Amino acid sequence: MTYVDGFIIPVHADNREKYRAMAALCAPIFKKHGALSVVECWADDVPEGKVTSFPMAVKVDPGEEVVFSWITWPSRKVRDEGNKKAMEELHGIASQEDVPFDGKRMIFGGFEVIVEE
């Protein structure tokens, strides 16, 4: 079974193109280091919740949208090795100032796939 890294990120609407460009730069680097796919999704139908929601999870500020992303890997082992190499390469390319979102509010985690059709 594959392994998935998932992300929920608040991004200001004014930074949509800057985020898309950053993601397009990063995706081939993750794939170069073993990722099977990289998917970046901009919120389209993401309701506010009363108890919990995507916007509440990342404490969306006025003007921000939610980005939902995932990277698939062949295994956790490939992810651990590939992610480390990709992050080293990315740190050589971009500075923290180039990141168009508040990383402190990003939610992320690795997931073992239990059903895949």
Short mmCIF file of all heavy atoms in Angstrom, two decimals, residues 34-57:
data_model
loop_
_atom_site.label_atom_id
_atom_site.label_comp_id
_atom_site.label_asym_id
_atom_site.label_seq_id
_atom_site.Cartn_x
_atom_site.Cartn_y
_atom_site.Cartn_z
N GLY A 34 11.15 10.37 -5.26
CA GLY A 34 10.36 9.17 -5.01
C GLY A 34 8.86 9.31 -4.89
O GLY A 34 8.15 8.30 -4.82
N ALA A 35 8.34 10.52 -4.82
CA ALA A 35 6.88 10.68 -4.73
C ALA A 35 6.21 10.17 -6.00
O ALA A 35 6.74 10.34 -7.10
CB ALA A 35 6.52 12.15 -4.50
N LEU A 36 5.06 9.56 -5.83
CA LEU A 36 4.29 9.08 -6.97
C LEU A 36 3.44 10.19 -7.58
O LEU A 36 3.26 10.26 -8.79
CB LEU A 36 3.38 7.92 -6.54
CG LEU A 36 4.08 6.69 -5.99
CD1 LEU A 36 3.06 5.72 -5.42
CD2 LEU A 36 4.94 6.04 -7.06
N SER A 37 2.89 11.05 -6.72
CA SER A 37 2.07 12.16 -7.19
C SER A 37 2.05 13.26 -6.14
O SER A 37 2.25 13.01 -4.96
CB SER A 37 0.64 11.71 -7.49
OG SER A 37 -0.02 11.32 -6.31
N VAL A 38 1.79 14.47 -6.62
CA VAL A 38 1.63 15.64 -5.76
C VAL A 38 0.36 16.34 -6.24
O VAL A 38 0.22 16.65 -7.42
CB VAL A 38 2.83 16.60 -5.86
CG1 VAL A 38 2.61 17.84 -5.01
CG2 VAL A 38 4.14 15.89 -5.49
N VAL A 39 -0.58 16.58 -5.31
CA VAL A 39 -1.85 17.21 -5.65
C VAL A 39 -2.05 18.43 -4.77
O VAL A 39 -1.91 18.34 -3.55
CB VAL A 39 -3.03 16.22 -5.47
CG1 VAL A 39 -4.35 16.89 -5.80
CG2 VAL A 39 -2.81 14.96 -6.31
N GLU A 40 -2.39 19.55 -5.40
CA GLU A 40 -2.66 20.81 -4.69
C GLU A 40 -4.06 21.26 -5.06
O GLU A 40 -4.38 21.39 -6.26
CB GLU A 40 -1.65 21.89 -5.10
CG GLU A 40 -0.20 21.54 -4.81
CD GLU A 40 0.19 21.77 -3.37
OE1 GLU A 40 -0.61 22.37 -2.60
OE2 GLU A 40 1.30 21.36 -3.00
N CYS A 41 -4.91 21.52 -4.08
CA CYS A 41 -6.31 21.89 -4.34
C CYS A 41 -6.66 23.18 -3.61
O CYS A 41 -6.41 23.30 -2.41
CB CYS A 41 -7.24 20.78 -3.85
SG CYS A 41 -6.86 19.15 -4.52
N TRP A 42 -7.26 24.12 -4.35
CA TRP A 42 -7.71 25.40 -3.79
C TRP A 42 -9.18 25.27 -3.39
O TRP A 42 -9.98 24.75 -4.17
CB TRP A 42 -7.53 26.49 -4.85
CG TRP A 42 -7.69 27.88 -4.31
CD1 TRP A 42 -8.83 28.62 -4.32
CD2 TRP A 42 -6.69 28.68 -3.70
NE1 TRP A 42 -8.59 29.85 -3.74
CE2 TRP A 42 -7.29 29.91 -3.36
CE3 TRP A 42 -5.33 28.49 -3.40
CZ2 TRP A 42 -6.58 30.94 -2.74
CZ3 TRP A 42 -4.64 29.50 -2.79
CH2 TRP A 42 -5.25 30.71 -2.45
N ALA A 43 -9.55 25.75 -2.23
CA ALA A 43 -10.92 25.63 -1.73
C ALA A 43 -11.93 26.16 -2.73
O ALA A 43 -11.75 27.24 -3.30
CB ALA A 43 -11.07 26.37 -0.41
N ASP A 44 -13.01 25.40 -2.92
CA ASP A 44 -14.08 25.80 -3.82
C ASP A 44 -15.43 25.69 -3.12
O ASP A 44 -16.27 26.57 -3.24
CB ASP A 44 -14.06 24.92 -5.08
CG ASP A 44 -15.16 25.29 -6.05
OD1 ASP A 44 -15.24 26.47 -6.44
OD2 ASP A 44 -15.95 24.40 -6.40
N ASP A 45 -15.63 24.61 -2.39
CA ASP A 45 -16.89 24.38 -1.68
C ASP A 45 -16.53 23.89 -0.28
O ASP A 45 -16.61 22.71 0.03
CB ASP A 45 -17.73 23.34 -2.43
CG ASP A 45 -19.08 23.11 -1.78
OD1 ASP A 45 -19.52 23.96 -0.97
OD2 ASP A 45 -19.69 22.06 -2.06
N VAL A 46 -16.08 24.82 0.56
CA VAL A 46 -15.57 24.49 1.89
C VAL A 46 -16.36 25.32 2.91
O VAL A 46 -16.01 26.46 3.19
CB VAL A 46 -14.05 24.78 2.00
CG1 VAL A 46 -13.53 24.41 3.36
CG2 VAL A 46 -13.30 24.02 0.91
N PRO A 47 -17.42 24.74 3.46
CA PRO A 47 -18.28 25.51 4.37
C PRO A 47 -17.64 25.76 5.73
O PRO A 47 -16.81 24.98 6.19
CB PRO A 47 -19.52 24.63 4.51
CG PRO A 47 -19.05 23.25 4.23
CD PRO A 47 -17.91 23.38 3.25
N GLU A 48 -18.03 26.87 6.33
CA GLU A 48 -17.68 27.14 7.73
C GLU A 48 -18.47 26.17 8.59
O GLU A 48 -19.63 25.90 8.32
CB GLU A 48 -18.07 28.57 8.10
CG GLU A 48 -17.14 29.62 7.57
CD GLU A 48 -15.82 29.69 8.32
OE1 GLU A 48 -15.72 29.21 9.46
OE2 GLU A 48 -14.88 30.23 7.73
N GLY A 49 -17.86 25.67 9.62
CA GLY A 49 -18.56 24.76 10.51
C GLY A 49 -18.98 25.44 11.80
O GLY A 49 -18.57 26.57 12.08
N LYS A 50 -19.78 24.75 12.57
CA LYS A 50 -20.17 25.24 13.90
C LYS A 50 -19.30 24.59 14.97
O LYS A 50 -19.03 25.19 16.00
CB LYS A 50 -21.64 24.94 14.15
CG LYS A 50 -22.57 25.72 13.23
CD LYS A 50 -23.96 25.75 13.76
CE LYS A 50 -24.94 26.39 12.83
NZ LYS A 50 -24.69 27.74 12.46
N VAL A 51 -18.87 23.37 14.73
CA VAL A 51 -18.03 22.66 15.69
C VAL A 51 -16.61 22.51 15.15
O VAL A 51 -15.64 22.75 15.85
CB VAL A 51 -18.63 21.27 16.03
CG1 VAL A 51 -17.72 20.50 16.97
CG2 VAL A 51 -20.02 21.42 16.62
N THR A 52 -16.51 22.12 13.88
CA THR A 52 -15.20 21.96 13.24
C THR A 52 -15.36 22.10 11.74
O THR A 52 -16.45 21.93 11.20
CB THR A 52 -14.55 20.61 13.61
OG1 THR A 52 -13.20 20.59 13.16
CG2 THR A 52 -15.32 19.44 13.04
N SER A 53 -14.29 22.47 11.07
CA SER A 53 -14.29 22.62 9.62
C SER A 53 -12.85 22.83 9.16
O SER A 53 -11.96 23.09 9.97
CB SER A 53 -15.16 23.81 9.19
OG SER A 53 -14.57 25.02 9.62
N PHE A 54 -12.65 22.77 7.85
CA PHE A 54 -11.32 23.08 7.32
C PHE A 54 -10.91 24.50 7.68
O PHE A 54 -9.80 24.71 8.18
CB PHE A 54 -11.28 22.88 5.80
CG PHE A 54 -11.12 21.45 5.38
CD1 PHE A 54 -12.18 20.78 4.79
CD2 PHE A 54 -9.92 20.77 5.54
CE1 PHE A 54 -12.05 19.47 4.38
CE2 PHE A 54 -9.78 19.46 5.13
CZ PHE A 54 -10.84 18.80 4.55
N PRO A 55 -11.77 25.52 7.46
CA PRO A 55 -11.36 26.88 7.82
C PRO A 55 -11.04 27.03 9.31
O PRO A 55 -10.08 27.72 9.68
CB PRO A 55 -12.57 27.74 7.43
CG PRO A 55 -13.24 26.97 6.34
CD PRO A 55 -13.06 25.52 6.74
N MET A 56 -11.83 26.39 10.16
CA MET A 56 -11.57 26.48 11.60
C MET A 56 -10.27 25.78 11.98
O MET A 56 -9.54 26.25 12.86
CB MET A 56 -12.73 25.87 12.39
CG MET A 56 -14.02 26.67 12.31
SD MET A 56 -15.44 25.81 13.01
CE MET A 56 -15.04 25.83 14.75
N ALA A 57 -9.98 24.69 11.30
CA ALA A 57 -8.79 23.91 11.63
C ALA A 57 -7.50 24.71 11.47
O ALA A 57 -6.57 24.56 12.27
CB ALA A 57 -8.73 22.65 10.77
#
